[in-house]
Amino acid sequence: MPTATNGDEDLYYETAGAGPTVAFVEPAGYGAWCWSWLVDALAGPVETLVWDLRGTGRSDAPPGPYDVATLAADLEAVLADHGTRTVHLVGAGLGGMVALQHAREYGRATTLALLGTTADGSRVDADALRDLQAPRDDRDALRASLTEAFSPGVVEAHPEAVDRIAGWRADDDAGPDGWDAQIGAMLDFEMPDLYTVTTPSLVVHGRADAVVPVEAGRDLAEDLPKGTFEGIDAGHLVAAEEPTLLEDALAGQLNEHADLDG
């Protein structure tokens, strides 16, 4: 399996499909499972790339603290290792912050899709963010902690899907130290000079997001020179709760900005 290196840290990634590269950056603590539905839908006319942030899954888990700049450098190491010249970045929560930082620092991003995120970590509900965390060996806690990730009633209405997600989380999520380090990176992030990020940016936000208020998403879209906002009836994990709506939104962005015919 492909592994990139940033300094002493090994970073696991995998790809599927062929065409323009769409790279996904997951939220704090969660494994790449949260992109499963979108990757299955998009792989083919595009190449999808998913990777494990440091502290998560099969990537190395050095002790914290972490910061968004380091995670963006990790992403750059992955893209460089894969030989990606340009990329369409899709980031959720912490991953959206990493995508913003990478777009500003490295110049590879052709488009950004920013899900349930903000450029100001002080706007994150720290308690709700920490409530997403659960021990990987406690299935009941993994299920219960999903309540804050989705809009009200979703967990109770879909017990089989929740059980499946709990199994994925047990295998792929960050351990407790990785969770804490990634949460710290998210809460400490601040990018005041958004005018420097001129990449076309689609900001998608769940109207019932308990972790990052929807108003923060609207403000992010307003402050980005080429930002557009789309609200969805979902919670923090938009990509898992409403993958079809998000697939449509991403397809529209890619049709406008990507050469899907090669």
Side-chain angles (χ1 to χ4, degrees):
M1 296 295 183
T3 303
T5 302
N6 184 20
D8 294 330
E9 312 308 333
D10 289 337
L11 304 160
Y12 172 88
Y13 69 95
E14 60 185 45
T15 61
T21 301
V22 181
F24 297 86
V25 195
E26 61 255 25
Y30 290 130
W33 61 264
C34 61
W35 302 117
S36 299
W37 299 270
L38 280 178
V39 168
D40 288 346
L42 292 176
V46 303
E47 176 187 58
T48 58
L49 184 153
V50 296
W51 63 294
D52 293 336
L53 273 65
R54 63 172 60 205
T56 304
R58 288 159 284 190
S59 290
D60 285 346
Y66 299 171
D67 57 50
V68 169
T70 300
L71 297 175
D74 288 346
L75 172 57
E76 175 63 11
V78 168
L79 296 174
D81 184 83
H82 186 54
T84 303
R85 185 174 63 85
T86 61
V87 65
H88 302 270
L89 292 179
V90 183
L94 172 62
M97 296 174 173
V98 174
L100 276 170
Q101 182 79 23
H102 186 276
R104 186 177 71 174
E105 297 295 329
Y106 297 99
R108 290 187 195 266
T110 302
T111 64
L112 298 175
L114 307 170
L115 319 178
T117 195
T118 173
D120 182 356
S122 70
R123 301 192 69 175
V124 177
D125 186 319
D127 291 336
L129 177 60
R130 293 189 178 98
D131 284 344
L132 302 180
Q133 184 176 356
R136 288 182 300 183
D137 59 356
D138 187 337
R139 292 295 181 95
D140 289 339
L142 289 170
R143 293 186 194 94
S145 64
L146 288 169
T147 301
E148 291 281 9
F150 295 105
S151 54
V154 168
V155 168
E156 295 79 6
H158 301 281
E160 292 183 2
V162 169
D163 283 345
R164 188 162 59 249
I165 291 172
W168 293 337
R169 293 189 65 189
D171 292 335
D172 297 337
D173 276 8
D177 292 341
W179 262 102
D180 289 343
Q182 291 181 23
I183 286 172
M186 187 173 183
L187 295 177
D188 288 344
F189 180 66
E190 184 178 12
M191 184 183 287
D193 51 347
L194 286 172
Y195 64 88
T196 63
V197 183
T198 58
T199 311
S201 302
L202 173 65
V203 179
V204 180
H205 215 104
R207 297 186 182 96
D209 192 328
V211 177
V212 183
V214 66
E215 293 79 14
R218 291 195 184 97
D219 291 344
L220 175 60
E222 274 190 26
D223 290 339
L224 286 165
K226 296 182 181 178
T228 59
F229 178 81
E230 183 168 341
I232 290 181
D233 288 331
H236 188 58
L237 286 184
V238 173
E241 187 170 343
E242 291 291 353
T244 301
L245 293 179
L246 189 53
E247 178 193 348
D248 290 344
L250 290 177
Q253 186 184 52
L254 291 171
N255 285 332
E256 182 176 357
H257 296 286
D259 180 7
L260 299 182
D261 296 325

